[in-house]
């Protein structure tokens, strides 16, 4: 507030400093220092287990062995080999998705469609964009009569990979067939095949033989009875 008239200037200045000192902390003789931020310690990196590397290498070897057996159409041995490889992998490892899908392919050839659905679903839980697993499961669904799920998996596979020929062939199964209407409203008959020159010559010869036989028969019937007998 402005000083009252008649108040000395030094008194007003002293009062102003007193009002400011009320908001300051009491002086203790020790200089206050800003608080230091506590440093967070980074967790040490997990050590690499040599056994894990050995298991991973062995799993890849079993994968190659399973592929070889699959190419030889030994589907039961192939699926068992892929299963051994899965036991050596960590749960949810990216490489495990391929082994689950490969087991699904084996069961597809063995017509064990429920096992196909199980293995391909496990592969898709690890890698949802795995188009081969989607196609294998679609074929299994189609085999057991679940066309709705089969079509959904086929469409999903093509959304991931539009160049998947197997998915394209599967999608063609679910598209309605177009009927060609004829003039009378029914289905149009296929056009007759054009006769070749050889077929036409054979038909002409057959007709000539038939005409000759008919002429011979007519001549015999027209001859008088007993004309060939001697008196």
């Amino acid at each position: 507030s402005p000083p009252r008239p008649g108040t000395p200037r030094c008194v007003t200045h002293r009062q102003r400093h007193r009002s400011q000192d009320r908001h300051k902390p009491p002086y203790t003789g020790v200089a206050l220092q800003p608080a230091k931020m506590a440093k967070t310690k980074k967790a040490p990196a997990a050590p690499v287990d040599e056994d894990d590397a050995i298991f991973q290498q062995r799993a890849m070897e079993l994968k190659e062995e399973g592929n070889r057996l699959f190419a030889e159409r030994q589907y039961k041995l192939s699926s068992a080999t892929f299963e051994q490889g899965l036991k050596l992998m960590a749960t949810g490892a990216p490489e495990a998705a391929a082994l689950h899908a490969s087991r699904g392919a084996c069961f597809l050839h063995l017509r064990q469609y429920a096992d196909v659905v199980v293995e391909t679903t496990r592969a898709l839980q690890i890698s949802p964009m795995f188009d081969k697993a989607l196609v294998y499961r679609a074929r299994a669904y189609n085999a057991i009569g679940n066309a709705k799920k089969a079509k959904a998996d086929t469409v999903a596979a093509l959304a991931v990979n539009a160049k998947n020929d197997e998915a394209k062939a599967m999608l063609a199964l679910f598209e309605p067939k177009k009927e060609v209407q004829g003039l009378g409203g029914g289905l149009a008959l296929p056009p007759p095949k054009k006769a070749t020159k050889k077929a036409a010559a054979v038909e002409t010869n057959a007709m000539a033989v038939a005409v000759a036989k008919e002429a011979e028969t007519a001549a015999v019937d027209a001859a008088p009875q007993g004309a060939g007998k001697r008196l």
Side-chain angles (χ1 to χ4, degrees), residues 16-26:
R16 187 181 300 170
H17 277 283
R18 285 178 180 175
S19 62
Q20 292 177 356
D21 293 342
R22 292 175 185 175
H23 302 286
K24 294 182 180 180

Side-chain angles (χ1 to χ4, degrees), residues 108 111-114 116-117 120 133-155 166-175:
L108 191 62
R111 298 183 180 180
Q112 299 177 12
Y113 301 117
V116 177
V117 174
T120 52
L134 286 167
V135 172
Y136 295 156
R137 192 169 69 175
R139 291 178 59 184
Y141 279 140
N142 188 51
I144 61 179
N146 196 334
K148 184 177 180 180
K149 288 187 175 181
K151 185 177 181 180
D153 279 348
T154 303
V155 172
E166 195 171 0
K168 291 179 182 179
M170 281 291 299
L171 188 61
L173 298 176
F174 305 114
E175 294 179 352

Side-chain angles (χ1 to χ4, degrees), residues 75-76 79-80 82-83 86 97-125 132-133 135-141 143-144:
Y75 302 119
K76 288 186 178 180
S79 64
F82 289 136
E83 184 179 13
L86 284 169
L99 293 180
H100 281 300
S102 297
R103 291 200 77 209
C106 293
F107 292 134
L108 191 62
H109 284 279
L110 295 172
R111 298 183 180 180
Q112 299 177 12
Y113 301 117
D115 293 329
V116 177
V117 174
V118 171
E119 292 297 329
T120 52
T121 301
R122 288 174 179 173
L124 292 169
Q125 288 173 349
K132 287 186 177 181
V135 172
Y136 295 156
R137 192 169 69 175
R139 291 178 59 184
Y141 279 140
I144 61 179

Side-chain angles (χ1 to χ4, degrees), residues 52 72 226:
D52 291 342
E72 296 176 357

Side-chain angles (χ1 to χ4, degrees), residues 200-210:
V202 172
E203 186 177 357
T204 302
N205 293 336
M207 292 178 63
V209 171

